[in-house]
Amino acid sequence: MKKILILDGSTRKQGNTSIMVEHFINGAKNNTDQIEHIIAKDLKIEYCNGCLRCNLIKRCSISGDDWNELSEKIADSDVLVFASPIYFHYVTSPLKKIIDRFRSLIHVQITEQSVRHTPWQKWNKDFVLLLSMGSSDDVDAQPVVDLFEYMKEVMGEENRLHVVKATRLAVIKQVIKTEDELKQLYPKLELPVKLAKQDALNNKMILESCFKLGKKISHV
Ligand SMILES: Cc1cc2nc3c(=O)[nH]c(=O)nc-3n(C[C@H](O)[C@H](O)[C@H](O)COP(=O)(O)O)c2cc1C
């Protein structure tokens, strides 16, 4: 059975990101019950302090926070999900704090020509990104996709990346709003009401993509 760990960067409960995660989990439940959903802001995670001792001691030198326990769960997972609203073209800060601590999972060697990254443990995982954003264009999520393309490269060629990008989700629970609800909402957001029909359909497709990806990725 696949082990799925979800790192959820959302800063509010019941938001668009949580709803996307819920649908992903419902899909995954078809094949596994080994699913853990962690809300990043509920963890005690210190900032990476840049000491780089990890390069020598093969672990993070910071103690007294939740990183050690979390890093064991990360290592143990087959599927690692990063869910986040897009904040200023990036993940939210609770999630970024965790991502920076990934530095302690790899050895970095700077050579004359390049930088060589070698994870302390071999990784063969599916990375999943579930990203929600307010803009109409998913270009705002590109820096996050780029980051994870890089992460996949650093952690080894065997790793895979899957992305769901959800646009035009400016207010809470917008992803489950009906066409009529969107029609009422759009004047307040200064969006043309005529978009409501297509957006309601798009929302359904977003949640279906999350469900299907959860189901597919959890299949052994
Ligand atoms: C501080 C902040 C920054 C944001 N920056 C962006 C952005 O750069 N691009 C974008 O498309 N949406 C941006 N948004 C909108 C959120 O990404 C969007 O509403 C998302 O669906 C919220 O997810 P949630 O309901 O899970 O909290 C921002 C929202 C906040 C509060």
Side-chain angles (χ1 to χ4, degrees):
M1 227 179 243
K2 291 244 179 111
K3 284 187 186 163
I4 301 181
L5 182 66
I6 302 163
L7 302 175
D8 185 337
S10 192
T11 56
R12 56 184 181 186
K13 286 183 182 148
Q14 313 273 300
N16 297 306
T17 313
S18 305
I19 297 166
M20 289 169 73
V21 168
E22 226 172 78
H23 281 72
F24 178 88
I25 290 175
N26 287 340
K29 276 184 183 163
N30 281 280
N31 297 312
T32 182
D33 57 10
Q34 307 264 304
I35 305 167
E36 188 169 4
H37 180 190
I38 291 177
I39 308 293
K41 78 177 168 75
D42 292 346
L43 294 182
K44 183 175 183 238
I45 296 286
E46 300 296 337
Y47 293 103
C48 169
N49 60 19
C51 71
L52 298 180
R53 283 194 64 217
C54 49
N55 231 29
L56 302 170
I57 63 175
K58 299 190 178 185
R59 60 173 174 76
C60 187
S61 67
I62 299 170
S63 57
D65 73 358
D66 292 329
W67 172 250
N68 279 343
E69 198 184 330
L70 180 63
S71 64
E72 280 166 24
K73 289 180 181 178
I74 289 169
D76 204 31
S77 66
D78 302 299
V79 179
L80 195 49
V81 181
F82 295 82
S84 185
I86 296 296
Y87 276 13
F88 290 97
H89 293 210
Y90 221 62
V91 294
T92 59
S93 42
L95 201 52
K96 180 64 164 68
K97 268 210 259 180
I98 291 177
I99 291 169
D100 287 348
R101 299 288 289 279
F102 273 57
R103 175 63 183 82
S104 63
L105 303 177
I106 47 181
H107 179 246
V108 180
Q109 189 186 4
I110 298 168
T111 65
E112 261 178 58
Q113 276 91 33
S114 64
V115 181
R116 192 177 303 138
H117 301 96
T118 320
W120 298 119
Q121 281 183 3
K122 204 163 173 48
W123 272 34
N124 182 0
K125 295 188 197 298
D126 285 293
F127 289 107
V128 172
L129 291 179
L130 302 179
L131 305 172
S132 73
M133 66 210 91
S135 69
S136 301
D137 190 331
D138 66 14
V139 76
D140 284 19
Q142 196 53 43
V144 180
V145 177
D146 290 345
L147 163 70
F148 278 88
E149 287 289 356
Y150 169 71
M151 178 81 92
K152 188 171 66 105
E153 209 178 289
V154 163
M155 299 317 278
E157 279 175 0
E158 301 78 9
N159 298 285
R160 298 153 299 277
L161 179 63
H162 315 265
V163 186
V164 178
K165 291 180 273 188
T167 52
R168 210 133 66 205
L169 301 176
V171 301
I172 195 153
K173 291 187 181 177
Q174 196 169 340
V175 74
I176 46 167
K177 289 203 186 296
T178 61
E179 184 185 338
D180 283 345
E181 287 170 328
L182 291 179
K183 274 184 181 157
Q184 290 192 5
L185 173 71
Y186 277 8
K188 288 178 213 151
L189 299 179
E190 296 177 47
L191 276 170
V193 170
K194 65 175 185 203
L195 295 176
K197 187 172 185 183
Q198 186 57 43
D199 284 356
L201 280 174
N202 280 346
N203 286 350
K204 269 193 183 157
M205 278 165 58
I206 290 163
L207 297 180
E208 219 172 274
S209 304
C210 294
F211 180 92
K212 281 186 182 161
L213 183 57
K215 191 170 174 184
K216 186 180 98 177
I217 220 125
S218 54
H219 198 265
V220 181

